[in-house]
Amino acid sequence: MAIRPVITAPDPRLKVTCKAVEKVDDSVRRLMKDMLDSMYAANGIGLAAPQVGDRRRVIVVDCSRDKKVPKHYCMANPEIVWTSEETFTYEEGCLSLPEQYADVTRPARARIRYLDEENEIRELEAEGLLAVCIQHEMDHLDGVLFVEHISSLKRNMIMRRLAKIKRLHETPAV
Ligand code: GNR
Ligand code: NI
């Protein structure tokens, strides 16, 4: 088990377009496992590879926190093959933008095609929080953070607050 630290914005590693995985092999499975461990350790419901400094198109999600049976998904090369016209607005947060939240509107439902842990092609139709989370994670693979879906006024406010928090945590120069 390897818990990797989550990179926080602003950081150029969160802005890259990730590369498709050729095949889900042991190396990709190890990344998926590390990402799940890191996500649970950080109390997140999802995590994308660039948040732990890896440029492969891999995401993990587990939105079953309050449910009895935990259910996680590990996805390589996720693609959206269909989205609903209907939208859903949810107050999003991001481990890469700690303590910052804003309402984001996205398609309410999405059908996702991806490769699972066994390199099998699968499809999943998601709604509610799961749909929000998968779309949020997929954005990360193209260097997009949730603040890019809100007004520049709100985005700048969040980025300024984050810079301030980061400054407070810096060790003062002696
Ligand atoms: O833990 C997370 N919670 C969350 C809440 C609302 C919408 C999206 C998310 S994803 C986030 C973890 C994260 O930053 N994944 O990239
Ligand atoms: Ni995020």
Side-chain angles (χ1 to χ4, degrees):
M1 165 153 143
I3 292 167
R4 307 196 196 173
V6 177
I7 295 165
T8 56
D11 189 302
R13 289 170 292 178
L14 295 172
K15 298 236 163 184
V16 298
T17 300
C18 295
K19 295 189 220 75
V21 161
E22 257 184 52
K23 180 175 186 274
V24 179
D25 57 11
D26 284 345
S27 158
V28 174
R29 276 189 285 273
R30 207 170 312 127
L31 172 64
M32 288 169 164
K33 179 68 170 60
D34 285 357
M35 285 171 60
L36 277 176
D37 292 340
S38 307
M39 176 187 78
Y40 291 128
N43 277 314
I45 57 170
L47 196 67
Q51 294 180 282
V52 290
D54 195 293
R55 298 186 57 163
R56 286 174 283 182
R57 298 187 80 81
V58 172
I59 66 171
V60 296
V61 299
D62 186 346
C63 297
S64 65
R65 270 299 142 83
D66 332 315
K67 300 194 183 125
K68 278 196 186 118
V69 196
K71 175 90 184 95
H72 67 255
Y73 294 94
C74 296
M75 303 181 172
N77 304 344
E79 286 173 70
I80 291 181
V81 294
W82 172 83
T83 54
S84 62
E85 292 289 326
E86 190 197 336
T87 59
F88 179 57
T89 301
Y90 193 81
E91 188 179 54
E92 297 198 16
C94 182
L95 294 171
S96 295
L97 300 163
E99 293 159 56
Q100 308 305 315
Y101 304 90
D103 279 353
V104 177
T105 301
R106 302 180 186 271
R109 287 180 298 284
R111 191 162 185 84
I112 317 296
R113 184 178 298 154
Y114 63 99
L115 290 173
D116 73 3
E117 297 94 318
E118 307 303 327
N119 198 48
E120 303 282 350
I121 296 179
R122 285 184 179 277
E123 280 192 14
L124 169 73
E125 195 166 313
E127 61 174 6
L129 182 57
L130 184 62
V132 169
C133 190
I134 291 173
Q135 293 177 77
H136 173 119
E137 301 316 331
M138 287 182 64
D139 272 351
H140 277 297
L141 302 180
D142 293 312
V144 174
L145 300 175
F146 80 77
V147 288
E148 266 136 285
H149 295 285
I150 63 180
S151 73
S152 56
L153 190 76
K154 286 183 187 165
R155 176 167 59 247
N156 292 340
M157 212 154 70
I158 285 180
M159 297 319 281
R160 268 197 304 272
R161 280 204 298 255
L162 210 61
K164 192 175 172 185
I165 294 170
K166 276 199 166 181
R167 270 201 311 279
L168 287 171
H169 286 285
E170 259 169 31
T171 37
V174 275

